[in-house]
Amino acid sequence: TINKIVKRVESLRFVDSYIHSFLIMSSTDNQTIITLQGSVDIVSEFFFTAINSILYQRGIYEPASFRRVDKYGLTCLTSTDEGLLTYLNNVMKQMQSWLAEGSVQKLVLVVAGLDSGETLERWQFQVQVDNNDASANAAKGNENHAPNQKSSSSAMENSNKTKKNQKSIQEIHDEIQAIIRQITASVTFLPLLNEPCSFDLLVYTDQDAVVPQKWYDSDPRYIMNSSEVKLRSFTTSIHKVDTMVTYKEKDEWEL
């Protein structure tokens, strides 16, 4: 596994813009089926929202630089800093490409002290892909996909499994809402950050993933003698995202 990391916000100035895409879904037999691209959109939008929430809750950026938006049935905070938004939008654009290819293993947000240079927190979002559902949904839009009579029994089993695993957008949003609430509540158990901090984003990808030149290899930025808290997870029936935060104990670094 190759660890990929994007440069810090202060050192990047992207010129091209990114417009968030809409969820792509299809309706069959009066049921809403989330396609691969729709699942990618859901996951990348969650990453964008979760990152903004962490940056706000952990005081990485000034509270005044965030605005309130209604999302997932909650009032979420989104940055108004143009440089940060451009940076995050470009990261999410690349993430969408990797998610569609099934190349993403996990996204990690690293919080580090500017004075000490130490890693104080690692917010990890583990990504798992249900290849059967992904392949089935991808095949729906492929006109050149010829049915194989010999595998009709297997296809029927996959179809039944897909229908069983189908979830409504509301169900997915409810799961995401629970994670955002936990991020908000993290201030009750995480140590105070007593020095100015910066953040980095690390993306673990498959070795054969195509990596743009603006990205480069990095060490994993682990925390020695750390504690971890597992948060909730959500699934789109195609992608599953598990969330956890690892942090340095207060008595280890607040000296």
Side-chain angles (χ1 to χ4, degrees), residues 211-224:
V211 182
Q213 293 182 350
K214 292 178 180 178
W215 296 62
Y216 61 90
D217 293 348
S218 169
D219 66 90
R221 308 286 294 277
Y222 289 132
I223 303 173
M224 300 299 293

Side-chain angles (χ1 to χ4, degrees), residues 120 122 222-228 246-249 252:
L120 305 178
R122 292 179 89 253
Y222 289 132
I223 303 173
M224 300 299 293
N225 302 318
S226 63
S227 296
E228 68 178 41
T246 305
Y247 60 93
K248 195 163 189 177
E249 290 284 4
E252 288 289 330

